[in-house]
Amino acid sequence: IQGGVFGRARRASPSGQSRLDSIDLRPYARTCVASRLPFSASLPSSFDVPKPLLPGISIKQYNSPMTDPTPPLPFPGRRADAHKGDFGRVLMIGGSRGMAGSVALSAIAALKTGSGLVSAAVPDGCLETVASFHPGVMTIAVGDDENGTFDITAKLPSIAAYDVVGCGPGMRTGRGSIRIVESLLHRSDVARVLDADAINVISAHSLLDSPALPRDQSNLVLTPHPGELARLTGVPSSDRHDQVAAATELAQKHGCTIVVKGGPTVVVGLTADKRVECHVNTTGNPGMATAGSGDVLTGVIASLIGQGLDGPEASKLGVYLHGLAGDLAAKDRSQAGLVCTDIIDQLPVAIGSM
């Protein structure tokens, strides 16, 4: 199993099937939901959490076979008389010279997950490159500087015209990027999914600590990998347990959803009654540890928000679909040979299997 495991579980049976008969998730959330963990390898003999990190936590627990994962919620339905505007207007912001593919991957993943309209706002110099990846992605030129990144004077399109904004993939962390991310953090009226360099900008300039920031960030989703989360929280990437605990505290403080990427991925967010929930994903495999995989996930989550799910729901279903597409791709291509575009290709198949 890649990464950390959250609690204690029985030793696996000879067949590899096991149950979460005794799982202790107290270190991770005010209310923790542990549905199922993915197992593509045999279990170690025990999983013990050395110490509680957040004492006094109530536990909500589901025991179920680990080898039979099911979706955390249904995929959004479609009316017979629907049109493309009904399935979300998504804006992806990112890209730079040499990293145009990142934002393109996010935009294409949003299309493949069902978005009706997807636009990519990119530095002017890489617009043609991004546009060449897929004819269904609309591109918007934004002013760039001599480094091929967003210029500090760059003007974005009207954010209010979109149902959700994704930002960060391939963007780099220059002055123009800082200005863009700071402005998005103040737009609490719009759903936002921030990844990659958008998270690095937040960390480098402590943007979440700004007293001018709107208190309600319930429609903000952050999707850090362990290195990005280390920069955001100060907890080293080698300490998976403490990273999840730190993400829990961050989600509680700001009301946002945090997708702690890894094996397994953990979604930390608020319930309808403002309790913190920790959801352990059930799909995915080590073959997905490949360049661009996180960019794909950003597009998937943004797409689901555009189709009507809130941040926690879209994140839970998004990581499930992303992992399932990766599992299907690995079966077809092998884990070692899996690349991010294979995950994108399998997204419609994964959705169709639900």
Side-chain angles (χ1 to χ4, degrees), residues 43-68:
L43 284 167
S45 59
S46 66
F47 304 111
D48 293 314
V49 176
K51 60 185 184 299
L53 301 175
L54 296 173
I57 297 168
S58 62
I59 300 172
K60 183 177 182 182
Q61 174 180 322
Y62 298 100
N63 297 328
S64 53
M66 299 177 188
T67 54
D68 181 29

Side-chain angles (χ1 to χ4, degrees), residues 297-318:
L297 178 60
T298 300
V300 172
I301 294 174
S303 175
L304 292 171
I305 292 175
Q307 293 179 66
L309 301 185
D310 64 22
E313 291 173 337
S315 298
K316 288 185 286 188
L317 183 56

